[in-house]
């Protein structure tokens, strides 16, 4: 069924399956939980309270679609292990994190504690779950040692990271690789039955993101309030993509790990199609045009914190190894994001809108 993001065979796979999602109260975790629930999965979430107010988790009533929701810190290994064992999950998606580059400068120790030691504790807890078959640890495109190259980074490129957030995610990759080799080794797959992979995505956008110091949420807030949009680095290039793009990759990877085992237990990039890595200024212009009004101030001065100027992902491995491709180009991603936030301002049913956008994405054609 070429051209569909989620095929009937996917739906058969997820129907009635128990799935554990860490970070389900966050932006990406909330969208993933809704998508899994729409596929018939029994979703068990584990996370801290919602990181922002408002939040996607609250406005889209994500909790209503879950089999269970546990409020807890991934640093609490006993509580985490207990929730995971109770879930009897066969697939684990680990998204809980301190996800913001600029917050990592302010809270470096906390960032490493959550993103590095927290990942280790999730994988340690996973060792106690007999029903587990698949683990997808979500990191970031920023885990690479960024050399400001004009071509996309491939999965075998050196890991690194200039700031605490980026390097903490590179460390999470190393932790995952060590646990895979030590406790879930492919050569002993017949004994433990667990396949472990990592997923690296670009800069995601979409409805329900209210994180601070993030370009699109800051733009939408300014536009809604009639203020000029302030941008720090107008020429910086990022791999922008709608949140459903990498989530479709995570779903596909989680399924293939169950079906094919450790052969897929590697790192995978899920980035936008070529041409959708836009400079910041062009993205803001696109948002203003879709909003119908608004202006931006490109003379804003930064605060001296390092931010990469150039970052692209090479997703050839996901295309050839998983058959994954993006479906919405960046213009469509921006339109869907603006539509969602206008619906929020009008007080519409946002859970219904999320599910409609998910269904539209499932029917969407692949980008060539």
């Amino acid at each position: 069924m070429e051209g569909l993001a989620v095929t009937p065979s996917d739906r058969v796979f997820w129907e009635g399956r128990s799935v554990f999602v860490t970070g389900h109260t966050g932006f990406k975790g909330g969208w993933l939980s809704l998508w899994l629930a729409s596929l018939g999965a029994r979703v068990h979430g584990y996370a801290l309270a919602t990181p922002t107010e408002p939040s996607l988790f609250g406005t889209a009533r994500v909790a209503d679609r879950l089999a269970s929701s546990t409020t807890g810190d991934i640093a609490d290994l006993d509580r985490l292990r207990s929730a995971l064992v109770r879930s009897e999950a066969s697939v684990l998606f680990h998204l809980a994190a301190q996800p913001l580059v600029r917050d990592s400068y302010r809270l470096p120790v906390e960032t490493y504690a959550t993103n590095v030691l927290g990942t280790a504790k999730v994988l340690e807890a996973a060792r106690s779950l007999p029903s587990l078959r698949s683990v997808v640890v979500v990191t970031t495109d920023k885990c690479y040692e960024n050399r400001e190259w004009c071509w996309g980074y491939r999965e075998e490129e050196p890991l690194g990271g200039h700031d605490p957030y980026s390097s903490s995610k590179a460390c999470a990759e190393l932790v995952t690789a060590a646990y895979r080799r030590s406790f879930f080794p492919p050569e002993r797959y017949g004994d433990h039955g667990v396949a472990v992979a990592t997923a690296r995505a670009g800069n995601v956008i979409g409805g329900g993101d209210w994180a601070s110091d993030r370009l699109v949420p800051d733009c939408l807030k300014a536009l809604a309030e009639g203020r000029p949009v302030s941008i720090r680095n107008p020429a910086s290039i990022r791999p922008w993509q709608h949140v459903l793009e990498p989530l479709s990759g995570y779903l596909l990877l989680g399924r293939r790990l169950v079906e094919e085992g450790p052969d897929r237990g590697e790192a995978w990039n899920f980035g936008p199609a070529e041409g959708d890595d836009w400079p910041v200024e062009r993205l803001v212009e696109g948002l203003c045009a879709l909003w119908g009004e608004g202006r931006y101030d490109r003379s804003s001065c930064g605060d001296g914190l390092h931010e990469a100027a150039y970052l692209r992902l090479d997703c050839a491995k996901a295309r050839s190894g998983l058959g994954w491709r993006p479906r919405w180009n960046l213009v469509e991603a921006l339109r869907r994001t603006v539509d969602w936030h206008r619906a929020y301002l009008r007080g519409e049913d946002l859970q219904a809108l999320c599910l409609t956008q998910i269904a539209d994405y499932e029917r969407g054609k692949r980008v060539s």
Side-chain angles (χ1 to χ4, degrees):
M1 300 193 62
E2 181 72 17
L4 293 182
V6 178
T7 66
S9 62
D10 294 324
R11 197 168 295 276
V12 169
F13 174 82
W14 294 109
E15 182 73 40
R17 185 174 295 273
S18 183
V19 181
F20 196 86
V21 179
T22 72
H24 69 294
T25 59
F27 169 55
K28 289 174 74 175
W31 274 100
L32 178 61
S33 297
L34 284 175
W35 198 344
L36 282 164
S38 77
L39 293 170
R42 292 182 291 112
V43 184
H44 302 269
Y46 185 96
L48 295 174
T50 52
T52 62
E53 183 56 45
S55 68
L56 175 77
F57 187 78
T59 58
R61 308 188 316 281
V62 176
D64 295 349
R65 308 281 298 193
L66 303 179
S68 70
S69 178
T70 302
T71 301
D73 193 330
I74 55 173
D76 187 342
L77 180 56
D78 290 339
R79 184 171 178 80
L80 173 63
R81 183 188 284 119
S82 177
L84 186 56
V85 170
R86 286 197 309 270
S87 74
E88 298 183 330
S90 63
V91 180
L92 165 61
F93 292 102
H94 173 42
L95 283 80
Q98 192 298 93
L100 301 174
V101 171
R102 298 176 72 78
D103 276 3
S104 77
Y105 284 104
R106 185 171 58 89
L107 300 167
V109 174
E110 292 85 346
T111 297
Y112 285 110
T114 299
N115 294 352
V116 185
L117 189 55
T119 296
K121 290 188 176 183
V122 169
L123 293 168
E124 182 65 20
R127 298 176 62 198
S128 303
L129 186 59
S131 58
L132 190 63
R133 296 294 174 265
S134 168
V135 179
V136 177
V137 175
V138 175
T139 63
T140 176
D141 59 331
K142 298 173 183 62
C143 68
Y144 293 107
E145 182 63 38
N146 192 348
R147 305 181 190 279
E148 308 283 348
W149 286 332
C150 62
W151 55 83
Y153 289 88
R154 297 180 177 179
E155 287 84 350
E156 67 270 17
E157 305 283 3
L159 300 174
H162 184 283
D163 55 86
Y165 167 75
S166 301
S167 66
S168 74
K169 286 296 193 173
C171 291
E173 288 276 351
L174 295 174
V175 167
T176 304
Y179 260 80
R180 179 169 51 226
R181 295 186 184 111
S182 300
F183 305 112
F184 307 111
E187 63 271 18
R188 296 209 306 272
Y189 179 72
D191 297 327
H192 57 75
V194 181
V196 181
T198 58
R200 305 163 182 176
N203 286 43
V204 296
I205 65 173
D209 186 4
W210 280 282
S212 60
D213 285 322
R214 277 172 54 84
L215 179 64
V216 173
D218 288 349
C219 287
L220 291 171
K221 182 178 181 181
L223 291 170
E225 295 174 355
R227 296 185 288 103
V229 176
S230 297
I231 54 178
R232 292 189 299 267
N233 301 296
S236 293
I237 294 174
R238 298 287 185 273
W240 311 100
Q241 57 189 153
H242 192 276
V243 63
L244 295 179
E245 299 286 9
L247 294 186
S248 72
Y250 305 166
L251 289 170
L252 178 58
L253 179 57
R255 176 170 66 89
R256 296 286 286 275
L257 289 170
V258 173
E259 295 174 343
E260 301 174 30
D263 287 348
R264 304 300 175 187
E266 303 172 309
W268 300 87
N269 286 341
F270 298 104
E274 187 175 351
D276 277 349
D277 36 12
W278 289 7
V280 166
E281 186 170 18
R282 182 182 175 190
L283 185 85
V284 174
E285 288 174 345
L287 275 174
C288 290
L290 287 166
W291 194 264
E293 57 185 344
R295 58 190 178 86
Y296 61 92
D297 175 11
R298 69 189 305 270
S299 63
S300 302
C301 295
D303 51 15
L305 299 180
H306 176 271
E307 293 184 78
Y310 208 82
L311 183 58
R312 286 191 168 105
L313 288 176
D314 184 320
C315 301
K317 180 180 174 181
R319 288 197 302 271
S320 62
L322 299 174
W324 178 87
R325 286 178 178 81
R327 281 150 178 84
W328 286 350
N329 62 28
L330 188 48
V331 173
E332 182 68 12
L334 290 171
R335 185 178 73 80
R336 296 285 182 160
T337 302
V338 168
D339 287 350
W340 198 101
H341 279 273
R342 284 200 177 278
Y344 164 73
L345 294 174
R346 291 192 296 265
E348 296 181 10
D349 185 337
L350 298 175
Q351 183 185 103
L353 179 56
C354 285
L355 295 174
T356 296
Q357 291 195 351
I358 288 170
D360 289 346
Y361 182 88
E362 289 177 355
R363 292 189 292 266
K365 293 182 179 180
R366 291 176 172 175
V367 176
S368 59

